[in-house]
């Protein structure tokens, strides 16, 4: 979650990065220090300057000034041991702000660095990552053969992003799944729209918020008014797979839903001081239920916890991700940024959900097939093969009513018979192998089945039905 416009920068970094002329940051024209005398006189800065000077003069290859400086900043940020604080070079910084403010091209997944691994917080709705079956907590080990282990999140983004239409080959580790998962997808423009609304049966309104960007409050407010105009009797807010975003937009959305004076959240700084955010708007006078899951993070967790603790709103789904810190960014004249944690946020009751998440009032799992990875349509799966892709395909066939007899990843005669039956039922050439149209149709039908069998949404509707007068 990010606070825009509030820059509490570390004095050490501010003293070093004072202009875009990198060499001039450290030395003047005659080779003496360009930093203030009071700064360079301190032991810490003297050590830094001596290291810089030594490497400039004695390293066996030419040491570029900007490379040394960027490395020093990256090292300081990494020493904080905070996966949400990072240094971003100009290109990375531009991509970061693009993600918050507008559409962009890539696979569409929010990531973070954790213990040397790149971890998916949540895929974005409608993105190639979501369609390909990328899940929260997946570890992306490599992209197009480039190993991501040891990278910061901003470094990994450079390799994960790419032009629309370009292919991305991901190797993923998934908790609870043995072996690696290979996912192939085509990068695309990630949609700007972050709010989707519809009217469900019995005049139940549903608003899904996929992330929180600059446009989200406006989209949310419009969706709310549209549903009210259609005679909405109760509201389901769906923040599953929502990786978070901007604090100010989140506060404005919650402000529309809670009675005046109710606590939305508290932000606590390292000196113990707290900022409190309270609702100023009139109360939303219809019952609400909120859907959460393991991909609900940060700003989305603020919304869920505020409605639960200050509004008595029931939560349905599975435990949320658990990100309870607040970040801001500082941009430098050369276009680079540092994103760093400035505080932790607390729920209205003063709870810190960091690494713990929020427990739902009604715990409901999705069907097992909801967690299946996508299969690359270009890859042929056939008899005598043994792989995770075959196992996923067998599970898909079983869920669709074409029983392969086993779901252990070994492609045997029974699996061939199930594939042939599936192909005949869907007017596809009966080859008995899985590739191309067969793969695509299997995933398409499974997605449709999941939409019709959304057990979490069904429970939310049952809960809301009891709350509607």
């Amino acid at each position: 979650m990010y606070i825009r416009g509030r820059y509490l920068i570390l004095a050490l970094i501010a003293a070093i990065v004072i202009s875009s002329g990198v060499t001039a940051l450290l030395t003047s024209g005659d080779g003496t220090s360009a930093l203030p005398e009071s700064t360079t006189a301190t032991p810490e800065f003297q050590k830094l300057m001596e290291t810089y000077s030594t490497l400039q003069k004695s390293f066996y290859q030419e040491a570029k000034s900007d490379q040394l400086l960027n490395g020093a900043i990256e090292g300081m940020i990494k020493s904080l041991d905070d996966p949400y604080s990072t240094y971003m070079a100009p290109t990375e910084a531009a991509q970061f702000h693009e993600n918050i403010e507008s559409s962009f091209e890539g696979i569409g997944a929010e990531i973070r660095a954790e213990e040397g691994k790149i971890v998916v917080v949540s895929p974005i709705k409608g993105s190639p990552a979501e369609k390909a079956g990328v899940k929260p907590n997946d570890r992306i080990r490599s992209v197009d053969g480039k190993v991501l282990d040891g990278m910061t999140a901003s470094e990994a983004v450079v390799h994960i992003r790419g032009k629309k239409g370009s292919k991305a080959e991901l190797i993923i580790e998934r908790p609870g799944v043995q072996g690696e998962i290979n996912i192939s997808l085509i990068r695309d423009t990630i949609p700007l729209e972050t709010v989707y609304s519809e009217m469900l049966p019995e005049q139940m309104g549903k608003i899904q918020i996929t992330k929180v960007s600059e446009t989200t409050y406006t989209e949310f407010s419009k969706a709310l008014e549209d549903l009210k105009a259609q005679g909405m009797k109760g509201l389901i807010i769906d923040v599953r797979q929502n990786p978070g975003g901007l604090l100010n937009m989140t506060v404005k959305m919650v402000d529309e839903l809670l009675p005046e004076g109710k606590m939305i959240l508290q932000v606590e700084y390292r000196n113990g001081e707290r900022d409190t955010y309270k609702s100023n708007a009139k109360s939303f006078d219809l019952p609400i239920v909120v859907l959460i899951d393991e991909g609900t993070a940060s700003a989305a967790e603020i919304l869920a916890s505020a409605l639960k603790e200050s509004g008595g709103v029931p939560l349905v789904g599975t435990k949320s991700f658990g990100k309870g810190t607040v970040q801001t960014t500082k941009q430098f004249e050369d276009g680079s940024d540092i994103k760093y944690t400035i505080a932790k946020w607390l729920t209205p009751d003063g709870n810190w959900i960091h690494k713990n998440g929020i427990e739902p009032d009604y715990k409901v799992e999705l069907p097992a097939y909801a967690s299946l990875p996508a299969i690359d349509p270009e890859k042929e799966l056939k008899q005598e093969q043994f792989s995770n892709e075959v196992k996923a395909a067998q599970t898909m066939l079983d869920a669709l009513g074409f029983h392969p007899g086993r779901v252990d990843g070994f492609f045997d005669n029974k699996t061939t018979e199930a594939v042939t039956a599936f192909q005949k039922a869907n007017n596809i050439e009966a080859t008995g192998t899985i590739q191309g149209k067969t793969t695509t149709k299997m995933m398409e039908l499974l997605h449709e089945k999941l939409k019709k069998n959304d057990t979490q949404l069904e429970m939310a509707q049952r809960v809301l039905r009891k709350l509607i007068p």
Side-chain angles (χ1 to χ4, degrees):
M1 180 186 63
Y2 311 103
I3 291 180
R4 301 296 299 274
R6 182 168 188 162
Y7 303 126
L8 305 178
I9 192 67
L10 295 173
L12 180 60
I13 298 174
I16 295 176
V17 189
I18 53 178
S19 78
S20 59
V22 178
T23 303
L25 299 177
L26 297 171
T27 59
S28 61
D30 60 2
T32 59
S33 172
L35 294 173
E37 184 177 348
S38 60
T39 300
T40 57
T42 64
E44 294 86 356
F45 272 87
Q46 186 63 37
K47 183 178 179 180
L48 176 65
M49 294 302 301
E50 287 181 10
T51 301
Y52 171 81
S53 179
T54 298
L55 294 175
Q56 281 276 37
K57 294 176 182 178
S58 305
F59 188 63
Y60 83 106
Q61 292 179 335
E62 180 184 359
K64 295 181 180 179
S65 298
D66 57 349
Q67 185 177 4
L68 293 174
L69 177 60
N70 291 339
I73 298 172
E74 287 176 359
M76 281 188 278
I77 298 294
K78 285 182 178 179
S79 73
L80 300 173
D81 194 26
D82 175 21
Y84 303 108
S85 295
T86 184
Y87 169 74
M88 294 175 278
T91 301
E92 298 165 348
Q95 290 176 336
F96 170 76
H97 290 293
E98 187 180 55
N99 187 9
I100 291 295
E101 296 172 359
S102 64
S103 62
F104 58 94
E105 294 180 353
I107 71 169
E110 183 83 5
I111 62 170
R112 63 186 173 90
E114 181 181 88
E115 297 179 350
K117 302 290 179 66
I118 298 301
V119 181
V120 175
V121 175
S122 182
I124 296 170
K125 178 181 172 63
S127 68
E130 184 198 45
K131 293 175 182 177
V134 176
K135 303 295 180 185
N137 293 313
D138 279 352
R139 271 69 170 161
I140 305 178
R141 301 301 304 277
S142 70
V143 178
D144 300 329
K146 181 69 175 179
V147 177
L148 304 184
D149 291 358
M151 291 187 182
T152 64
S154 57
E155 289 170 339
V157 163
V158 173
H159 301 286
I160 295 172
R161 288 273 184 93
K163 291 184 178 180
K164 177 180 179 179
S166 63
K167 191 173 184 179
E169 298 282 356
L170 310 182
I171 294 180
I172 282 175
E173 287 181 353
R174 178 168 295 163
V177 177
Q178 290 186 345
E180 295 178 333
I181 299 171
N182 297 294
I183 292 182
S184 179
L185 49 81
I186 303 298
R187 296 179 177 94
D188 202 351
T189 300
I190 308 306
L192 171 64
E193 190 175 5
T194 62
V195 175
Y196 302 82
S197 64
E198 61 179 307
M199 186 67 80
L200 302 175
E202 302 177 61
Q203 296 301 104
M204 295 183 189
K206 176 175 174 282
I207 295 179
Q208 181 181 13
I209 308 167
T210 59
K211 65 176 181 177
V212 186
S213 68
E214 294 282 9
T215 63
T216 302
Y217 169 69
T218 301
E219 294 176 50
F220 177 80
S221 184
K222 182 179 184 304
L224 204 58
E225 291 304 315
D226 288 346
L227 290 171
K228 285 180 181 178
Q230 295 176 51
M232 173 174 60
K233 295 180 179 179
L235 175 64
I236 296 172
I237 300 177
D238 187 351
V239 287
R240 293 175 294 178
Q241 306 291 296
N242 183 323
L246 299 175
L247 172 63
N248 58 341
M249 294 296 112
T250 305
V251 170
K252 291 179 74 173
M253 284 190 291
V254 178
D255 194 45
E256 295 267 331
L257 304 171
L258 287 178
E260 185 174 0
K262 287 286 187 177
M263 184 74 73
I264 297 174
L265 82 154
Q266 306 172 62
V267 176
E268 182 176 286
Y269 302 95
R270 69 180 185 183
N271 62 4
E273 292 184 2
R274 292 185 183 182
D275 289 338
T276 57
Y277 295 78
K278 295 183 179 181
S279 176
N280 295 312
K282 294 180 180 179
S283 175
F284 181 75
D285 57 359
L286 297 177
I288 302 172
V289 174
V290 175
L291 280 165
I292 63 172
D293 67 4
E294 64 278 3
T296 302
S298 192
E301 291 176 295
I302 288 177
L303 181 146
S305 63
L307 293 179
K308 175 182 172 67
E309 293 183 3
S310 288
V313 171
L315 308 182
V316 175
T318 54
K319 187 172 74 171
S320 67
F321 183 82
K323 179 180 179 292
T325 56
V326 182
Q327 286 71 43
T328 190
T329 59
K330 170 66 178 179
Q331 188 169 32
F332 304 112
E333 292 183 8
D334 66 348
S336 62
D337 269 11
I338 59 168
K339 175 168 70 74
Y340 62 104
T341 300
I342 59 170
K344 59 184 182 182
W345 68 264
L346 309 174
T347 69
D349 291 345
N351 299 314
W352 194 36
I353 58 93
H354 196 60
K355 297 184 179 180
N356 295 317
I358 305 167
E359 291 286 353
D361 299 286
Y362 299 86
K363 185 175 181 179
V364 184
E365 300 280 353
L366 288 173
Y369 57 78
S371 62
L372 288 174
I375 305 170
D376 183 358
E378 295 183 10
K379 188 170 185 177
E380 184 182 24
L381 306 180
K382 57 186 179 181
Q383 198 162 313
E384 301 303 319
Q385 286 183 350
F386 180 80
S387 68
N388 282 323
E389 288 91 345
V390 172
K391 183 177 181 179
Q394 290 171 328
T395 308
M396 289 181 190
L397 287 166
D398 193 56
L400 294 170
F402 299 88
H403 307 295
R406 64 196 303 165
V407 288
D408 59 359
F410 180 69
F411 203 127
D412 63 358
N413 285 328
K414 287 285 290 181
T415 302
T416 300
E417 291 172 7
V419 173
T420 301
F422 174 83
Q423 291 169 329
K424 289 179 179 178
N426 289 280
N427 298 316
I428 300 171
E429 183 183 358
T431 62
T433 62
I434 301 172
Q435 190 178 28
K437 290 182 180 179
T438 301
T439 306
T440 303
K441 191 65 177 179
M442 285 171 55
M443 292 191 293
E444 177 187 316
L445 292 177
L446 196 70
H447 181 68
E448 291 177 4
K449 181 180 176 67
L450 182 59
K451 286 181 67 177
K452 294 177 181 177
N453 192 28
D454 187 337
T455 51
Q456 294 171 341
L457 177 59
E458 289 171 2
M459 175 58 79
Q461 288 175 282
R462 288 202 293 271
V463 173
L464 185 59
R465 189 177 293 116
K466 293 179 181 179
L467 297 175
I468 294 174

